[in-house]
Amino acid sequence: MDTVDLEDAFAAFEERWAPRLVASLNGQELKVAKLEGEFVWHSHPEADELFWVVDGNLTIELRDEPDEQLTDGELGVVPAGVEHRPVADGVAEVVLFEPAGTENTGDAEGTGRTSEVQELTE
């Protein structure tokens, strides 16, 4: 069985908005990312996206609904097809859970913010 220490995983990189793959299971990927500032508006037409805030504060802005505020230990799921924009107040350490191959920018093209998921190297 593979194990991951989340504290070590977050300590292994500094880049913002550049997810690192820590585990794969049943066609899903568990990623860690450091978020800071605003991301781009986007949706994932075919995939739900889970945000679990390990440390920090994260707002999930939703185009047609009230914003959701997440802080240490809280998680939320953005349903497939819902347009959203994550905004981190300071640096937020976040675990993401979504289908393998899901791009961080979803259906937003030409933003220059798409980041290939990298393997975590500790």
Side-chain angles (χ1 to χ4, degrees):
M1 183 171 98
D2 293 330
T3 61
V4 175
D5 181 304
L6 287 178
E7 188 174 325
D8 290 345
F10 285 112
F13 66 98
E14 288 300 320
E15 297 85 4
R16 307 303 193 253
W17 303 104
R20 299 299 198 274
L21 180 65
V22 295
S24 298
L25 62 154
N26 302 319
Q28 301 283 316
E29 292 181 335
L30 189 74
K31 305 167 190 172
V32 293
K34 291 182 180 180
L35 313 181
E36 185 174 21
E38 297 177 348
F39 200 53
V40 297
W41 283 100
H42 67 285
S43 69
H44 304 280
E46 304 297 324
D48 297 336
E49 183 176 27
L50 181 143
F51 291 86
W52 170 20
V53 177
V54 175
D55 186 47
N57 296 295
L58 183 66
T59 300
I60 305 295
E61 295 180 346
L62 302 165
R63 184 70 79 186
D64 299 318
E65 299 176 38
D67 297 346
E68 293 291 336
Q69 308 288 327
L70 301 173
T71 191
D72 301 353
E74 295 181 329
L75 63 85
V77 176
V78 177
V82 172
E83 192 174 18
H84 62 284
R85 177 173 72 164
V87 178
D89 180 19
V91 177
E93 294 180 342
V94 177
V95 173
L96 305 166
F97 187 69
E98 55 202 1
T102 301
E103 288 191 349
N104 63 333
T105 51
D107 61 358
E109 297 179 13
T111 64
R113 301 291 300 269
T114 301
S115 179
E116 294 294 321
V117 177
Q118 300 175 39
E119 293 284 333
L120 179 69
T121 55
E122 296 182 41

